[in-house]
Amino acid sequence: MGKKRLLIFKILAIMSPLILLALLECALRLFGYGHDLSLFVEDEKHPGYLVMNQYASIKYFSDQQNATIGNFEPFKKQKTPGTLRIFVLGESTTIGYPYMHNGSFHRWLRYRLMHTLPDKEFEIINLSLTAVNSHTVFDFGRQLVDYEPDAVLIYTGHNEYYGALGAGSTKAFARNTNLIRTLIKIREFRVTQLIYSTLTSVKSVFAGKEIDLRENLMKRMAEDQQIAYGSDTYQAGIDQFKTNMNDLCALMNKKGIRVFLSNLVSNEKDLRPFISVPVKGAPSADVHYEMANRLYNGNNFIGAKKEYMQASELDLLRFRAPQVVNRIIREIADTYSSVTLVDARTAFEKNSEHGILGKQTLLEHVHPNLLGYALLSDAFYESFKKSGLISVKNDHAMSFAELRKRMPVTAVDSLKGDYEVMILKEGWPFNVPMPPEEKREKTIEEQLAGALVVKQISWEEAMGRLKANYIRQNDRAGVLKVMEALALEQTLDPLLYDQTGKICLTMGEHEKAVTYFAHAFRIENNFDRAQKLFITLLKLDRPQEALVYLEYAAANNQSGFSLNELHSFVQQLVELKSKFEKDSANVALSNQLAAGYLKFANATAADKYVKLTLNREPKNQIALQLKEQIKAIRHTSVQQP
């Protein structure tokens, strides 16, 4: 055989396995074997929208039965100009465990933004998953850069040891980040999925057992349950976090994408170390914890805090991030100009007794309670403002106290979270017995939360039953909270926004009604929504904004009544308001505005200007006459503009 032919033969011999694999890959895809593991897929319910792929997590879990599923929050395939698109990356805290729906910090944040900046369109897409770590966060992050994010929010670091492919859950790959990234990549191929499925089947046959899904996920993921401080495995977890987060933030910085990177919180005071063993003759975690309790009881809170933190640091079962992780987070934020440090820890400390993190803000080891999630959202919100991502006028800002009061987390959501935590703590590694059941009739909220936690009903069904119960009780505030909760969950349903806006009107909450009607109108323009908007905006004395919707209604008039006179009237109001804003002491202008509104029986807006006149001139006859007209209109309940 000639040298040339021999070379060709060798090349073909080397290439033939690759060619066969490529052909097999094509055949498997052609016949629909395996799963597309892309981060996003087309949303079947909403054409033109993308949603997180339910199979995206498979490639991160060595045992795919442990793979978790995240939220399905749709966003437009083609980003609308002016939209602020925000992606959220992280683990179980970031997705909102144990509340999951509107208890999560990103929903608190979205609610506050939509009511503080109602004219701005926000897309906040949570891509977090339970039981993952920085390997998944990095891989998700590198994929989403092509989807025009304005900001990426990150809260991660607690799962570096026992999250998917973590240093304490997959020993074979734990110490080589590049190898793990290669493994993640090749798992996308259908051939790899076929090989894995075959090996899993063979393993289950020869091993004679499968994963015990009755054990909680924490136990199934924790392979190495004793990781000593300073050990090789301990250092491997820190190294993988530093490498993944540094590489991700470097990529975001290069692409000019803003990153809001939060430091971490965990329970220091109200959780004993899970596993405490003396290492090399040094005091154990339990010794430090007991010392902390003594110092705390002796009012030495500075010393107590130091000992509590040391007890957590020496806990061999590493479900809480080491303190060095927060130092790495700060260093990364200081390194890259596009990265903003979100100081959640300080916010939590300010709301904890003596600045020591415990049950005031945390449910167990790392997951916040509802106050904690609100605080986490507030930390991101304040970082948005300081960085200039959003601009908020003080007169339109929703305070933190107002947010906590208004946030639509229902009693069912709160109770469901309580029950989830009870179940979690009953198992390993907490082993806390379930409290005895109270012998009394359960409330409807307790019944629904109980059915929800054992998956007898869906969250949407629970909300529907709760709403029906509040309607029977004529509890309008309860109905409104449920409707707001549903609207926050199902962001593309204009009918939900319509219904929520109508309830707001019946309760006199006109500002909130405008927000919901405007959102519905942006999703789907129609005459009815435009009419409600211009009527409500005129009641709120916002004729310039009302004019936009009035002009749409006039161009799409389905009422059979001419809107020409009203259009002319609103134009005059806009001109009068412009003059009044430059000369607010002019009582003649305020009387004209009041009279103009009364021409269309708008007593609410007219009363505002009559009061302004009478505050300056208590005996102004025109204003006094207008005041009587307002009384007459209100008496007969005719308040339509």
Side-chain angles (χ1 to χ4, degrees), residues 231-270:
S231 65
D232 290 345
T233 306
Y234 171 90
Q235 190 59 43
I238 293 169
D239 290 344
Q240 78 181 29
F241 177 82
K242 186 174 184 178
T243 300
N244 284 325
M245 297 313 300
N246 189 73
D247 289 356
L248 177 57
C249 289
L251 174 63
M252 295 292 176
N253 196 66
K254 182 179 178 181
K255 297 286 186 179
I257 299 169
R258 295 191 184 196
V259 175
F260 292 84
L261 180 61
S262 177
N263 54 21
L264 306 178
V265 297
S266 60
N267 195 336
E268 297 164 358
K269 176 180 176 291
D270 298 311

mmCIF file of all heavy atoms in Angstrom, residues 231-270:
data_model
loop_
_atom_site.group_PDB
_atom_site.id
_atom_site.type_symbol
_atom_site.label_atom_id
_atom_site.label_comp_id
_atom_site.label_asym_id
_atom_site.label_seq_id
_atom_site.Cartn_x
_atom_site.Cartn_y
_atom_site.Cartn_z
ATOM 1 N N SER A 231 -10.004 21.311 54.552
ATOM 2 C CA SER A 231 -9.666 20.071 53.848
ATOM 3 C C SER A 231 -9.638 20.295 52.337
ATOM 4 O O SER A 231 -10.048 21.341 51.827
ATOM 5 C CB SER A 231 -10.689 18.983 54.181
ATOM 6 O OG SER A 231 -11.966 19.347 53.668
ATOM 7 N N ASP A 232 -9.174 19.296 51.594
ATOM 8 C CA ASP A 232 -9.111 19.406 50.134
ATOM 9 C C ASP A 232 -10.503 19.612 49.533
ATOM 10 O O ASP A 232 -10.670 20.414 48.601
ATOM 11 C CB ASP A 232 -8.474 18.143 49.537
ATOM 12 C CG ASP A 232 -6.983 18.048 49.845
ATOM 13 O OD1 ASP A 232 -6.400 19.070 50.261
ATOM 14 O OD2 ASP A 232 -6.414 16.950 49.678
ATOM 15 N N THR A 233 -11.488 18.869 50.040
ATOM 16 C CA THR A 233 -12.851 19.013 49.524
ATOM 17 C C THR A 233 -13.416 20.388 49.862
ATOM 18 O O THR A 233 -14.104 21.015 49.040
ATOM 19 C CB THR A 233 -13.766 17.913 50.102
ATOM 20 O OG1 THR A 233 -13.189 16.647 49.849
ATOM 21 C CG2 THR A 233 -15.149 17.972 49.478
ATOM 22 N N TYR A 234 -13.128 20.852 51.064
ATOM 23 C CA TYR A 234 -13.546 22.196 51.475
ATOM 24 C C TYR A 234 -12.980 23.231 50.498
ATOM 25 O O TYR A 234 -13.709 24.097 49.998
ATOM 26 C CB TYR A 234 -13.049 22.470 52.888
ATOM 27 C CG TYR A 234 -13.230 23.896 53.377
ATOM 28 C CD1 TYR A 234 -14.387 24.283 54.035
ATOM 29 C CD2 TYR A 234 -12.219 24.843 53.191
ATOM 30 C CE1 TYR A 234 -14.551 25.587 54.487
ATOM 31 C CE2 TYR A 234 -12.371 26.149 53.641
ATOM 32 C CZ TYR A 234 -13.536 26.512 54.288
ATOM 33 O OH TYR A 234 -13.690 27.811 54.731
ATOM 34 N N GLN A 235 -11.707 23.127 50.198
ATOM 35 C CA GLN A 235 -11.070 24.085 49.296
ATOM 36 C C GLN A 235 -11.592 23.941 47.869
ATOM 37 O O GLN A 235 -11.723 24.933 47.136
ATOM 38 C CB GLN A 235 -9.555 23.894 49.317
ATOM 39 C CG GLN A 235 -8.785 24.999 48.596
ATOM 40 C CD GLN A 235 -9.033 26.374 49.179
ATOM 41 O OE1 GLN A 235 -9.063 26.545 50.408
ATOM 42 N NE2 GLN A 235 -9.258 27.363 48.317
ATOM 43 N N ALA A 236 -11.935 22.718 47.468
ATOM 44 C CA ALA A 236 -12.468 22.487 46.122
ATOM 45 C C ALA A 236 -13.779 23.234 45.912
ATOM 46 O O ALA A 236 -14.027 23.796 44.836
ATOM 47 C CB ALA A 236 -12.661 20.992 45.883
ATOM 48 N N GLY A 237 -14.634 23.240 46.943
ATOM 49 C CA GLY A 237 -15.899 23.966 46.845
ATOM 50 C C GLY A 237 -15.685 25.462 46.677
ATOM 51 O O GLY A 237 -16.372 26.123 45.888
ATOM 52 N N ILE A 238 -14.734 25.997 47.409
ATOM 53 C CA ILE A 238 -14.419 27.424 47.309
ATOM 54 C C ILE A 238 -13.835 27.746 45.940
ATOM 55 O O ILE A 238 -14.213 28.734 45.296
ATOM 56 C CB ILE A 238 -13.443 27.831 48.435
ATOM 57 C CG1 ILE A 238 -14.145 27.716 49.789
ATOM 58 C CG2 ILE A 238 -12.914 29.244 48.220
ATOM 59 C CD1 ILE A 238 -13.218 27.832 50.973
ATOM 60 N N ASP A 239 -12.937 26.900 45.473
ATOM 61 C CA ASP A 239 -12.282 27.134 44.179
ATOM 62 C C ASP A 239 -13.291 27.099 43.034
ATOM 63 O O ASP A 239 -13.220 27.921 42.105
ATOM 64 C CB ASP A 239 -11.190 26.089 43.942
ATOM 65 C CG ASP A 239 -9.991 26.275 44.873
ATOM 66 O OD1 ASP A 239 -9.879 27.361 45.478
ATOM 67 O OD2 ASP A 239 -9.195 25.320 45.010
ATOM 68 N N GLN A 240 -14.223 26.133 43.070
ATOM 69 C CA GLN A 240 -15.185 26.042 41.970
ATOM 70 C C GLN A 240 -16.093 27.266 41.958
ATOM 71 O O GLN A 240 -16.440 27.793 40.891
ATOM 72 C CB GLN A 240 -16.010 24.754 42.056
ATOM 73 C CG GLN A 240 -17.127 24.765 43.074
ATOM 74 C CD GLN A 240 -17.903 23.455 43.133
ATOM 75 O OE1 GLN A 240 -17.363 22.391 42.860
ATOM 76 N NE2 GLN A 240 -19.157 23.546 43.511
ATOM 77 N N PHE A 241 -16.486 27.755 43.146
ATOM 78 C CA PHE A 241 -17.323 28.952 43.206
ATOM 79 C C PHE A 241 -16.579 30.153 42.638
ATOM 80 O O PHE A 241 -17.103 30.903 41.810
ATOM 81 C CB PHE A 241 -17.742 29.232 44.652
ATOM 82 C CG PHE A 241 -18.556 30.488 44.809
ATOM 83 C CD1 PHE A 241 -19.915 30.488 44.547
ATOM 84 C CD2 PHE A 241 -17.958 31.690 45.204
ATOM 85 C CE1 PHE A 241 -20.668 31.649 44.678
ATOM 86 C CE2 PHE A 241 -18.704 32.852 45.333
ATOM 87 C CZ PHE A 241 -20.057 32.826 45.071
ATOM 88 N N LYS A 242 -15.341 30.324 43.081
ATOM 89 C CA LYS A 242 -14.551 31.473 42.631
ATOM 90 C C LYS A 242 -14.335 31.440 41.123
ATOM 91 O O LYS A 242 -14.483 32.463 40.433
ATOM 92 C CB LYS A 242 -13.209 31.489 43.365
ATOM 93 C CG LYS A 242 -12.370 32.724 43.077
ATOM 94 C CD LYS A 242 -11.123 32.748 43.958
ATOM 95 C CE LYS A 242 -10.324 34.034 43.742
ATOM 96 N NZ LYS A 242 -9.139 34.093 44.633
ATOM 97 N N THR A 243 -14.007 30.272 40.588
ATOM 98 C CA THR A 243 -13.758 30.149 39.146
ATOM 99 C C THR A 243 -15.023 30.419 38.342
ATOM 100 O O THR A 243 -15.008 31.204 37.379
ATOM 101 C CB THR A 243 -13.230 28.743 38.814
ATOM 102 O OG1 THR A 243 -12.012 28.519 39.521
ATOM 103 C CG2 THR A 243 -12.984 28.594 37.320
ATOM 104 N N ASN A 244 -16.119 29.783 38.730
ATOM 105 C CA ASN A 244 -17.365 29.937 37.971
ATOM 106 C C ASN A 244 -17.887 31.366 38.014
ATOM 107 O O ASN A 244 -18.275 31.935 36.985
ATOM 108 C CB ASN A 244 -18.434 28.978 38.504
ATOM 109 C CG ASN A 244 -18.204 27.554 38.067
ATOM 110 O OD1 ASN A 244 -17.737 27.295 36.963
ATOM 111 N ND2 ASN A 244 -18.523 26.600 38.931
ATOM 112 N N MET A 245 -17.906 31.970 39.198
ATOM 113 C CA MET A 245 -18.466 33.316 39.316
ATOM 114 C C MET A 245 -17.549 34.355 38.687
ATOM 115 O O MET A 245 -18.022 35.327 38.083
ATOM 116 C CB MET A 245 -18.727 33.652 40.784
ATOM 117 C CG MET A 245 -19.759 32.742 41.451
ATOM 118 S SD MET A 245 -21.254 32.504 40.457
ATOM 119 C CE MET A 245 -21.838 34.182 40.320
ATOM 120 N N ASN A 246 -16.252 34.160 38.813
ATOM 121 C CA ASN A 246 -15.314 35.094 38.190
ATOM 122 C C ASN A 246 -15.433 35.026 36.661
ATOM 123 O O ASN A 246 -15.489 36.066 35.987
ATOM 124 C CB ASN A 246 -13.884 34.766 38.613
ATOM 125 C CG ASN A 246 -12.903 35.828 38.169
ATOM 126 O OD1 ASN A 246 -12.853 36.920 38.717
ATOM 127 N ND2 ASN A 246 -12.123 35.519 37.147
ATOM 128 N N ASP A 247 -15.506 33.803 36.114
ATOM 129 C CA ASP A 247 -15.618 33.651 34.663
ATOM 130 C C ASP A 247 -16.941 34.224 34.148
ATOM 131 O O ASP A 247 -16.976 34.858 33.079
ATOM 132 C CB ASP A 247 -15.508 32.178 34.276
ATOM 133 C CG ASP A 247 -14.096 31.640 34.444
ATOM 134 O OD1 ASP A 247 -13.191 32.423 34.781
ATOM 135 O OD2 ASP A 247 -13.905 30.411 34.262
ATOM 136 N N LEU A 248 -18.024 34.014 34.894
ATOM 137 C CA LEU A 248 -19.325 34.528 34.463
ATOM 138 C C LEU A 248 -19.330 36.055 34.481
ATOM 139 O O LEU A 248 -19.783 36.693 33.522
ATOM 140 C CB LEU A 248 -20.438 33.985 35.373
ATOM 141 C CG LEU A 248 -21.853 34.501 35.072
ATOM 142 C CD1 LEU A 248 -22.245 34.211 33.629
ATOM 143 C CD2 LEU A 248 -22.860 33.889 36.034
ATOM 144 N N CYS A 249 -18.821 36.632 35.560
ATOM 145 C CA CYS A 249 -18.827 38.095 35.658
ATOM 146 C C CYS A 249 -17.876 38.723 34.644
ATOM 147 O O CYS A 249 -18.153 39.817 34.126
ATOM 148 C CB CYS A 249 -18.472 38.524 37.082
ATOM 149 S SG CYS A 249 -19.792 38.174 38.275
ATOM 150 N N ALA A 250 -16.781 38.041 34.335
ATOM 151 C CA ALA A 250 -15.873 38.529 33.290
ATOM 152 C C ALA A 250 -16.586 38.551 31.940
ATOM 153 O O ALA A 250 -16.442 39.506 31.154
ATOM 154 C CB ALA A 250 -14.632 37.645 33.225
ATOM 155 N N LEU A 251 -17.358 37.497 31.657
ATOM 156 C CA LEU A 251 -18.122 37.435 30.412
ATOM 157 C C LEU A 251 -19.159 38.547 30.348
ATOM 158 O O LEU A 251 -19.293 39.241 29.325
ATOM 159 C CB LEU A 251 -18.799 36.066 30.293
ATOM 160 C CG LEU A 251 -19.761 35.883 29.116
ATOM 161 C CD1 LEU A 251 -19.025 36.010 27.786
ATOM 162 C CD2 LEU A 251 -20.469 34.523 29.213
ATOM 163 N N MET A 252 -19.912 38.741 31.449
ATOM 164 C CA MET A 252 -20.936 39.785 31.490
ATOM 165 C C MET A 252 -20.298 41.165 31.329
ATOM 166 O O MET A 252 -20.833 42.043 30.645
ATOM 167 C CB MET A 252 -21.706 39.718 32.812
ATOM 168 C CG MET A 252 -22.517 38.448 33.009
ATOM 169 S SD MET A 252 -23.904 38.351 31.861
ATOM 170 C CE MET A 252 -24.559 36.726 32.285
ATOM 171 N N ASN A 253 -19.151 41.358 31.961
ATOM 172 C CA ASN A 253 -18.457 42.640 31.881
ATOM 173 C C ASN A 253 -18.017 42.922 30.443
ATOM 174 O O ASN A 253 -18.151 44.044 29.941
ATOM 175 C CB ASN A 253 -17.247 42.623 32.811
ATOM 176 C CG ASN A 253 -16.698 44.001 33.087
ATOM 177 O OD1 ASN A 253 -17.340 44.831 33.715
ATOM 178 N ND2 ASN A 253 -15.479 44.263 32.620
ATOM 179 N N LYS A 254 -17.528 41.882 29.768
ATOM 180 C CA LYS A 254 -17.101 42.019 28.378
ATOM 181 C C LYS A 254 -18.277 42.371 27.473
ATOM 182 O O LYS A 254 -18.137 43.156 26.523
ATOM 183 C CB LYS A 254 -16.456 40.710 27.916
ATOM 184 C CG LYS A 254 -15.917 40.745 26.497
ATOM 185 C CD LYS A 254 -15.279 39.410 26.131
ATOM 186 C CE LYS A 254 -14.772 39.433 24.686
ATOM 187 N NZ LYS A 254 -14.154 38.117 24.310
ATOM 188 N N LYS A 255 -19.454 41.802 27.767
ATOM 189 C CA LYS A 255 -20.647 42.042 26.952
ATOM 190 C C LYS A 255 -21.378 43.330 27.350
ATOM 191 O O LYS A 255 -22.365 43.709 26.707
ATOM 192 C CB LYS A 255 -21.621 40.864 27.095
ATOM 193 C CG LYS A 255 -21.080 39.532 26.591
ATOM 194 C CD LYS A 255 -21.035 39.471 25.085
ATOM 195 C CE LYS A 255 -20.630 38.084 24.598
ATOM 196 N NZ LYS A 255 -20.593 37.999 23.113
ATOM 197 N N GLY A 256 -20.917 43.979 28.423
ATOM 198 C CA GLY A 256 -21.571 45.207 28.872
ATOM 199 C C GLY A 256 -22.903 44.978 29.548
ATOM 200 O O GLY A 256 -23.780 45.854 29.529
ATOM 201 N N ILE A 257 -23.074 43.809 30.163
ATOM 202 C CA ILE A 257 -24.331 43.471 30.844
ATOM 203 C C ILE A 257 -24.164 43.707 32.343
ATOM 204 O O ILE A 257 -23.213 43.225 32.951
ATOM 205 C CB ILE A 257 -24.713 42.005 30.581
ATOM 206 C CG1 ILE A 257 -24.923 41.772 29.085
ATOM 207 C CG2 ILE A 257 -25.972 41.627 31.366
ATOM 208 C CD1 ILE A 257 -25.046 40.310 28.708
ATOM 209 N N ARG A 258 -25.082 44.435 32.937
ATOM 210 C CA ARG A 258 -25.011 44.706 34.374
ATOM 211 C C ARG A 258 -25.327 43.453 35.179
ATOM 212 O O ARG A 258 -26.279 42.732 34.874
ATOM 213 C CB ARG A 258 -26.003 45.800 34.759
ATOM 214 C CG ARG A 258 -25.690 47.158 34.151
ATOM 215 C CD ARG A 258 -26.564 48.212 34.791
ATOM 216 N NE ARG A 258 -26.380 49.508 34.181
ATOM 217 C CZ ARG A 258 -26.778 50.645 34.717
ATOM 218 N NH1 ARG A 258 -27.409 50.638 35.881
ATOM 219 N NH2 ARG A 258 -26.578 51.789 34.115
ATOM 220 N N VAL A 259 -24.526 43.237 36.206
ATOM 221 C CA VAL A 259 -24.737 42.110 37.114
ATOM 222 C C VAL A 259 -24.935 42.655 38.523
ATOM 223 O O VAL A 259 -24.165 43.511 38.976
ATOM 224 C CB VAL A 259 -23.534 41.141 37.097
ATOM 225 C CG1 VAL A 259 -23.714 40.044 38.150
ATOM 226 C CG2 VAL A 259 -23.356 40.527 35.717
ATOM 227 N N PHE A 260 -25.962 42.170 39.185
ATOM 228 C CA PHE A 260 -26.203 42.513 40.583
ATOM 229 C C PHE A 260 -25.972 41.238 41.393
ATOM 230 O O PHE A 260 -26.788 40.310 41.364
ATOM 231 C CB PHE A 260 -27.617 43.061 40.767
ATOM 232 C CG PHE A 260 -27.804 44.406 40.115
ATOM 233 C CD1 PHE A 260 -28.106 44.501 38.770
ATOM 234 C CD2 PHE A 260 -27.641 45.577 40.845
ATOM 235 C CE1 PHE A 260 -28.257 45.738 38.154
ATOM 236 C CE2 PHE A 260 -27.778 46.815 40.245
ATOM 237 C CZ PHE A 260 -28.092 46.901 38.901
ATOM 238 N N LEU A 261 -24.834 41.198 42.066
ATOM 239 C CA LEU A 261 -24.360 39.998 42.753
ATOM 240 C C LEU A 261 -24.530 40.171 44.256
ATOM 241 O O LEU A 261 -23.903 41.038 44.866
ATOM 242 C CB LEU A 261 -22.888 39.761 42.396
ATOM 243 C CG LEU A 261 -22.187 38.559 43.014
ATOM 244 C CD1 LEU A 261 -22.867 37.257 42.603
ATOM 245 C CD2 LEU A 261 -20.713 38.543 42.591
ATOM 246 N N SER A 262 -25.373 39.336 44.840
ATOM 247 C CA SER A 262 -25.678 39.476 46.275
ATOM 248 C C SER A 262 -24.767 38.602 47.123
ATOM 249 O O SER A 262 -24.419 37.484 46.739
ATOM 250 C CB SER A 262 -27.130 39.087 46.541
ATOM 251 O OG SER A 262 -27.421 39.141 47.931
ATOM 252 N N ASN A 263 -24.390 39.140 48.291
ATOM 253 C CA ASN A 263 -23.757 38.279 49.284
ATOM 254 C C ASN A 263 -24.817 37.418 49.961
ATOM 255 O O ASN A 263 -26.017 37.575 49.702
ATOM 256 C CB ASN A 263 -22.926 39.083 50.289
ATOM 257 C CG ASN A 263 -23.714 40.197 50.960
ATOM 258 O OD1 ASN A 263 -24.943 40.171 50.999
ATOM 259 N ND2 ASN A 263 -23.002 41.184 51.498
ATOM 260 N N LEU A 264 -24.391 36.495 50.822
ATOM 261 C CA LEU A 264 -25.275 35.440 51.319
ATOM 262 C C LEU A 264 -25.617 35.618 52.794
ATOM 263 O O LEU A 264 -24.870 36.236 53.556
ATOM 264 C CB LEU A 264 -24.617 34.072 51.126
ATOM 265 C CG LEU A 264 -24.147 33.735 49.711
ATOM 266 C CD1 LEU A 264 -23.469 32.374 49.698
ATOM 267 C CD2 LEU A 264 -25.289 33.768 48.727
ATOM 268 N N VAL A 265 -26.746 35.036 53.174
ATOM 269 C CA VAL A 265 -27.151 34.998 54.579
ATOM 270 C C VAL A 265 -27.433 33.553 54.974
ATOM 271 O O VAL A 265 -27.812 32.732 54.140
ATOM 272 C CB VAL A 265 -28.413 35.857 54.839
ATOM 273 C CG1 VAL A 265 -28.133 37.318 54.549
ATOM 274 C CG2 VAL A 265 -29.605 35.366 54.013
ATOM 275 N N SER A 266 -27.226 33.246 56.246
ATOM 276 C CA SER A 266 -27.581 31.925 56.778
ATOM 277 C C SER A 266 -27.832 32.055 58.273
ATOM 278 O O SER A 266 -27.426 33.039 58.908
ATOM 279 C CB SER A 266 -26.471 30.900 56.504
ATOM 280 O OG SER A 266 -25.257 31.300 57.105
ATOM 281 N N ASN A 267 -28.493 31.078 58.818
ATOM 282 C CA ASN A 267 -28.871 31.080 60.230
ATOM 283 C C ASN A 267 -27.640 30.828 61.101
ATOM 284 O O ASN A 267 -26.992 29.787 60.985
ATOM 285 C CB ASN A 267 -29.933 29.997 60.476
ATOM 286 C CG ASN A 267 -30.641 30.163 61.800
ATOM 287 O OD1 ASN A 267 -30.109 30.769 62.731
ATOM 288 N ND2 ASN A 267 -31.845 29.628 61.889
ATOM 289 N N GLU A 268 -27.334 31.762 61.955
ATOM 290 C CA GLU A 268 -26.179 31.626 62.844
ATOM 291 C C GLU A 268 -26.602 31.252 64.266
ATOM 292 O O GLU A 268 -26.018 30.364 64.883
ATOM 293 C CB GLU A 268 -25.395 32.943 62.880
ATOM 294 C CG GLU A 268 -24.818 33.338 61.534
ATOM 295 C CD GLU A 268 -24.391 34.796 61.474
ATOM 296 O OE1 GLU A 268 -24.583 35.519 62.483
ATOM 297 O OE2 GLU A 268 -23.886 35.229 60.421
ATOM 298 N N LYS A 269 -27.644 31.933 64.759
ATOM 299 C CA LYS A 269 -28.000 31.792 66.172
ATOM 300 C C LYS A 269 -28.939 30.616 66.460
ATOM 301 O O LYS A 269 -28.769 29.905 67.455
ATOM 302 C CB LYS A 269 -28.656 33.088 66.671
ATOM 303 C CG LYS A 269 -29.160 33.027 68.105
ATOM 304 C CD LYS A 269 -29.792 34.343 68.516
ATOM 305 C CE LYS A 269 -30.378 34.237 69.924
ATOM 306 N NZ LYS A 269 -31.552 33.362 69.973
ATOM 307 N N ASP A 270 -29.921 30.424 65.603
ATOM 308 C CA ASP A 270 -31.016 29.504 65.941
ATOM 309 C C ASP A 270 -30.925 28.168 65.218
ATOM 310 O O ASP A 270 -31.944 27.539 64.923
ATOM 311 C CB ASP A 270 -32.355 30.190 65.656
ATOM 312 C CG ASP A 270 -32.542 31.430 66.512
ATOM 313 O OD1 ASP A 270 -32.326 31.337 67.728
ATOM 314 O OD2 ASP A 270 -32.883 32.495 65.959
#
